[in-house]
Amino acid sequence: MLPGPHGEPAGGAPVWPGSAQPLGARVRTGPGGVVGTNFALWAQGAEGVEVCLFDDDGAETRCPLTERTHEIWHGFVPGVLPGRRYGYRVHGRWDPWTGARWNPAKLLLDPYARAVDGDFGGAGVIPRAWHGALPPEVYGHVRDWPQQRIADTVRDNRDSAPYVPKGVVVGDDASVGPDGPPYEWLDDRRPKTPWSDTVIYELHVRGFTKRHPGVPPELRGTYAGLAHPAAIEHLTRLGVTAVELLPVHQFAHEDHLLRRGLRNYWGYNSIGYFAPHGAYAATGTRGAQVGEFRRMVRALHDAGIEVILDVVYNHTAESGELGPTLSLRGIDNRAYYRLQQDPRRYTDYTGCGNTLQVPHPHVLRLITDSLRYWVTEMGVDGFRFDLAATLARTASDVDMLSPFLTVIAQDPVLRRVKLIAEPWDVGPGGYQVGAFPSLWSEWNDRYRDAVRDFWRGALPDVRDLGTRLSGSSDLYGWGGRGPYASVNFITAHDGFTLRDLVSYDRKHNEANGEGNRDGTGDNRSWNCGAEGETEDPAVRALRRRQLRNLLSTLLLSTGVPMLVAGDEMGRTQGGNNNAYCQDNETGWLDWTLLEDPGWGALTDLTARLIQLRRDHPVLRRPAFFSGRAQGPDGLRDLAWFTAAGAEMTEPDWYAPTAALGLYLSGHDTARRAAQGAPISDDSFLVLLHSGPAPVDFTLPGPPWAAAYELLVDTSREDQDAPPGARHRAGSRIVLPERSVLLLRAVTAVEEDRKTE
């Protein structure tokens, strides 16, 4: 029997050999029909492993796992049923100079735990961590050693069990729905929205519902709250097709935040890749969060909305060598993490202290097992990979033939879901926009920058803008990729909200407690003449117009648009462009904004633009424009016009300009009906003008159109009133300052019919 952390014998319960597969804790019927739980943990270099069981009073029972198969320690413990809490103690050498950091005094979270109960700092009983630093007991080394430069080499022998959360045994019947039968994530129950038809809405589970007046108070901030009809009604009213949830994997709060009285809000500090974050559960954390999450997914699917998870497989909450020992570090530090040539130190391509060693076969298995679990057992429809370039690194360089990308490409489950890369990290050569393989879509920050610069008047010419609005073929027009490879966004969780983008020239992150040093200084924002909130009616009107311009540009661009929750209703963070630790009214949506007619009108415009995308396939092309003539009239599928009504020439692209027109031909939308017939659509003219004064714009004459019908005019606050009469092709109209106009091209036949 293995000794306890202080040398005393470890008491145990009967442990049968069990099985090495599957990993994690799985309820099974064992020999003789006895029900219990099989525990299996991969710990390659360990000398011994104990599974530690905890009763409701916190009393611990240690059960040595003596069987080992292919470095997997396993055993079946009779009588352990769903809801039982557990953790691991892993024995081995303490030798930080070689990267060995085993310490059996530290209770470790199972990497395959499907539910987690408690929080760091008191396991939910005495939440010390929310009233100061993490307890020193959760560190494998002596955190407060006087000589900090060697503190990570001094082992801390204090027991961490009272201060860390526990894994929870979850039964396979956790998938049972409210009416009894198991959830079955069959393809015909999923929305399966094509990429080209997708409109993404990035939201935070807690922040979206925390202040929602239609969600019952006890459900606000939870998975059940997001599943509530009042929350879903807003999504369906907008017409978005997918929600992209900020991290919902179990995560931990960083020590430096707790010391400042803050905590991690966004969740990019994962520690449990199979467990829904327990703090977002209304029904409890003894496994109930699993069913609650599944019911949320089912409710969103029933509304026609896909669920995409923002996942953080590039690093964990254990940070660098001075961070806590919570799970992987104590199981096999040298296998799970990239270490430097000096194995005491961690390679940090993430800016978070450590980097997972993704090319290692078992680390790769952990990630892909987790991904498949969320698809097959939790029902999600895709993933957005935080710092995806890190996952594609081999020895050091980013490699698009890396083990991670290769495994994803051939996996029969994962290759069928939506895959979105944040295509960069902070390491050398980490910026990889446009480089990911054909299965992948990418966050396109070049789109973000070009659109921001155009509307603040900072573009020297419109070459880059034209490429971004038409799908970024320079980045994605290779290897079978289409415009849907570009996830177009102007704002994201990281940075200014859309309202703050037009209200602040500088970041205002003082509330984060870092002296306003955190967050980027390159915001490409314009405050419209006043920093922050103002009562000046002219500035307020201009800001709302700019918001209409930005949203219209995004939703009329070719590619996959991504909105951020609240941007459609004028949400502000008070100029904070890095609200990762603002789990308060700064980070939560303020639903009272909808009571303001101005912000309500912005929401209405957003919904109308999304409906226009849905109604008109030319606005959501699955293939890039060819630029060639289409049909007998010789019209090209894409054309650009100057304010004089002439097609843009090469010199026009290099000249400074604030006004241009984009003609989208509906003669060939690159779509086919079920039996192969081409799908045609209306044609549209989009006029964009970022200048401070009105300009005359000559509408392109025949054969482009016989007339034009105005559908959207962002210079007008009220979008409900009829936008205006038709304009004859070739006529000159006044294009208002700082505005977007969307006009439908009226054919000669249609115009003749009108005049009969």
Side-chain angles (χ1 to χ4, degrees):
M1 183 174 292
L2 293 168
H6 303 290
E8 75 277 14
V15 181
W16 300 346
S19 172
Q21 301 296 338
L23 293 170
R26 304 301 289 267
V27 178
R28 292 287 183 264
T29 299
V34 176
V35 177
T37 297
N38 191 87
F39 295 92
L41 177 72
W42 182 87
Q44 178 176 254
E47 298 172 359
V49 173
E50 298 167 291
V51 60
C52 304
L53 306 173
F54 293 85
D55 63 20
D56 291 343
D57 295 325
E60 177 182 355
T61 300
R62 303 186 190 181
C63 306
L65 302 181
T66 58
E67 301 294 324
R68 183 169 58 174
T69 304
H70 303 307
E71 305 300 339
I72 297 173
W73 300 75
H74 55 89
F76 178 88
V77 185
V80 174
L81 302 177
R84 190 70 176 270
R85 299 181 302 153
Y86 73 100
Y88 288 108
R89 297 185 187 272
V90 181
H91 299 253
R93 292 184 303 112
W94 176 264
D95 187 12
W97 293 270
T98 64
R101 293 183 178 272
W102 285 284
N103 185 345
K106 308 305 167 184
L107 188 76
L108 307 175
L109 188 65
D110 181 2
Y112 280 73
R114 293 191 289 169
V116 176
D117 178 60
D119 207 333
F120 295 97
V125 179
I126 308 173
R128 286 173 46 181
W130 291 18
H131 299 282
L134 283 173
E137 292 89 346
V138 305
Y139 291 79
H141 65 280
V142 179
R143 185 192 65 187
D144 302 319
W145 192 256
Q147 297 172 287
Q148 279 292 293
R149 65 182 181 84
I150 61 167
D152 68 291
T153 69
V154 184
R155 193 171 83 164
D156 188 312
N157 291 322
R158 290 173 289 186
D159 185 9
S160 70
Y163 310 103
V164 297
K166 316 297 189 292
V168 179
V169 175
V170 177
D172 290 337
D173 61 349
S175 61
V176 173
D179 300 322
Y183 284 111
E184 295 178 358
W185 302 109
L186 304 178
D187 281 349
D188 61 355
R189 301 297 299 268
R190 297 176 183 267
K192 294 190 295 184
T193 307
W195 257 125
S196 54
D197 297 346
T198 297
V199 178
I200 298 173
Y201 189 77
E202 187 193 45
L203 67 82
H204 190 289
V205 169
R206 179 172 168 84
F208 185 73
T209 62
K210 187 63 178 173
R211 303 174 70 187
H212 197 303
V215 175
E218 67 274 13
L219 300 183
R220 294 174 188 170
T222 69
Y223 306 119
L226 183 54
H228 192 274
I232 292 179
E233 187 276 333
H234 184 76
L235 302 175
T236 55
R237 174 192 173 194
L238 287 177
V240 298
T241 70
V243 291
E244 182 176 302
L245 306 182
L246 266 68
V248 295
H249 288 165
Q250 186 73 31
F251 63 87
H253 304 291
E254 295 92 327
D255 182 77
H256 69 89
L257 290 178
L258 298 172
R259 289 175 184 268
R260 297 200 296 270
L262 300 169
R263 56 178 179 166
N264 192 305
Y265 173 55
W266 287 348
Y268 292 91
N269 206 38
S270 299
I271 197 60
Y273 290 131
F274 289 77
H277 188 61
Y280 300 160
T283 52
T285 57
R286 293 291 185 94
Q289 62 264 54
V290 178
E292 184 177 334
F293 185 94
R294 286 170 167 148
R295 290 189 291 275
M296 176 197 73
V297 173
R298 174 59 58 83
L300 290 164
H301 282 179
D302 288 345
I305 299 171
E306 294 185 306
V307 178
I308 298 170
L309 301 188
D310 194 336
V311 290
V312 188
Y313 295 110
N314 54 76
H315 76 281
T316 76
E318 293 185 301
S319 190
E321 60 269 15
L322 295 177
T325 295
L326 312 176
S327 181
L328 304 183
R329 173 178 285 136
I331 295 171
D332 194 330
N333 184 59
R334 293 180 295 190
Y336 277 108
Y337 293 115
R338 289 180 180 266
L339 304 180
Q340 297 182 20
Q341 188 172 0
D342 174 2
R344 274 182 62 194
R345 313 298 182 193
Y346 291 78
T347 301
D348 185 8
Y349 295 133
T350 67
C352 299
N354 64 54
T355 304
L356 278 181
Q357 190 169 204
V358 177
H360 189 288
H362 190 78
V363 180
L364 185 58
R365 178 184 176 183
L366 170 68
I367 295 171
T368 53
D369 282 353
S370 168
L371 292 170
R372 281 189 294 269
Y373 172 78
W374 287 96
V375 174
T376 60
E377 298 194 42
M378 302 296 271
V380 306
D381 305 286
F383 305 93
R384 178 265 187 189
F385 292 83
D386 182 64
L387 301 182
T390 297
L391 305 178
R393 289 185 181 272
T394 50
S396 59
D397 296 332
V398 178
D399 183 355
M400 292 304 156
L401 294 176
S402 66
F404 173 75
L405 294 177
T406 301
V407 166
I408 295 290
Q410 60 78 45
D411 189 284
V413 172
L414 301 179
R415 69 188 181 204
R416 298 174 61 187
V417 303
K418 287 183 166 67
L419 304 170
I420 305 171
E422 183 185 35
W424 51 75
D425 65 16
V426 302
Y431 187 75
Q432 294 289 324
V433 173
F436 276 72
S438 60
L439 282 177
W440 291 75
S441 294
E442 303 174 16
W443 274 22
N444 187 352
D445 66 327
R446 291 184 60 180
Y447 176 93
R448 174 199 65 197
D449 293 349
V451 172
R452 287 187 179 192
D453 282 347
F454 176 74
W455 285 111
R456 70 188 180 108
L459 277 183
D461 55 55
V462 290
R463 287 176 294 159
D464 197 40
L465 179 70
T467 304
R468 303 304 146 227
L469 298 182
S470 57
S472 296
S473 60
D474 61 331
L475 298 175
Y476 307 112
W478 62 274
R481 307 180 88 182
Y484 48 83
S486 177
V487 175
N488 298 333
F489 69 104
I490 298 171
T491 59
H493 66 273
D494 187 2
F496 279 149
T497 67
L498 203 65
R499 178 175 168 181
D500 288 354
L501 189 69
V502 301
S503 303
Y504 295 90
D505 280 352
R506 304 178 303 279
K507 62 182 178 179
H508 295 267
N509 300 354
E510 289 81 6
N512 296 352
E514 299 178 38
N516 206 32
R517 294 184 299 273
D518 62 304
T520 181
D522 182 20
N523 294 293
R524 300 173 189 252
S525 60
W526 177 48
N527 66 16
C528 297
E531 185 73 0
E533 295 302 309
T534 177
E535 296 301 318
D536 187 323
V539 173
R540 290 163 65 93
L542 175 57
R543 287 175 177 175
R544 285 185 172 172
R545 179 182 291 201
Q546 287 289 78
L547 291 181
R548 295 192 292 272
N549 292 335
L550 290 162
L551 285 169
S552 298
T553 303
L554 175 65
L555 292 167
L556 295 174
S557 296
T558 300
V560 177
M562 184 185 80
L563 298 163
V564 177
D567 276 353
E568 76 282 3
M569 63 177 79
R571 173 175 169 258
T572 177
Q573 293 179 166
N576 191 322
N577 75 351
N578 189 36
Y580 78 104
C581 56
Q582 297 300 319
D583 188 5
N584 49 45
E585 293 186 355
T586 296
W588 305 337
L589 265 68
D590 179 6
W591 292 91
T592 64
L593 291 168
L594 292 177
E595 300 170 7
D596 182 313
W599 299 126
L602 186 67
T603 305
D604 293 340
L605 174 63
T606 305
R608 184 168 173 231
L609 289 165
I610 293 175
Q611 186 63 48
L612 280 168
R613 285 186 68 92
R614 179 172 294 178
D615 292 343
H616 294 285
V618 71
L619 299 177
R620 42 187 174 84
R621 287 175 58 93
F624 289 109
F625 297 98
S626 69
R628 298 188 295 270
Q630 306 284 324
D633 52 14
L635 296 182
R636 285 182 298 284
D637 55 5
L638 173 68
W640 299 89
F641 292 90
T642 67
E647 286 194 68
M648 292 181 67
T649 63
E650 187 74 10
D652 292 326
W653 287 107
Y654 287 84
T657 184
L660 75 161
L662 164 61
Y663 185 93
L664 304 169
S665 172
H667 285 236
D668 183 359
T669 64
R671 290 175 175 266
R672 301 290 181 265
Q675 295 182 339
I679 295 176
S680 61
D681 189 16
D682 291 324
S683 298
F684 293 92
L685 179 66
V686 183
L687 306 181
L688 303 100
H689 178 36
S690 62
V695 298
D696 290 340
F697 201 104
T698 300
L699 299 175
W704 301 100
Y708 294 90
E709 178 186 6
L710 183 61
L711 300 180
V712 175
D713 178 357
T714 62
S715 70
R716 300 169 59 249
E717 182 91 22
D718 180 11
Q719 295 292 318
D720 290 332
R726 291 180 180 179
H727 300 276
R728 182 173 51 85
S731 65
R732 183 179 298 174
I733 66 170
V734 175
L735 182 56
E737 71 277 9
R738 298 192 174 97
S739 64
V740 175
L741 270 59
L742 174 66
L743 304 103
R744 184 179 68 86
V746 179
T747 65
V749 172
E750 188 180 357
E751 183 68 3
D752 290 343
R753 187 181 302 120
K754 177 177 180 291
T755 58
E756 290 177 355

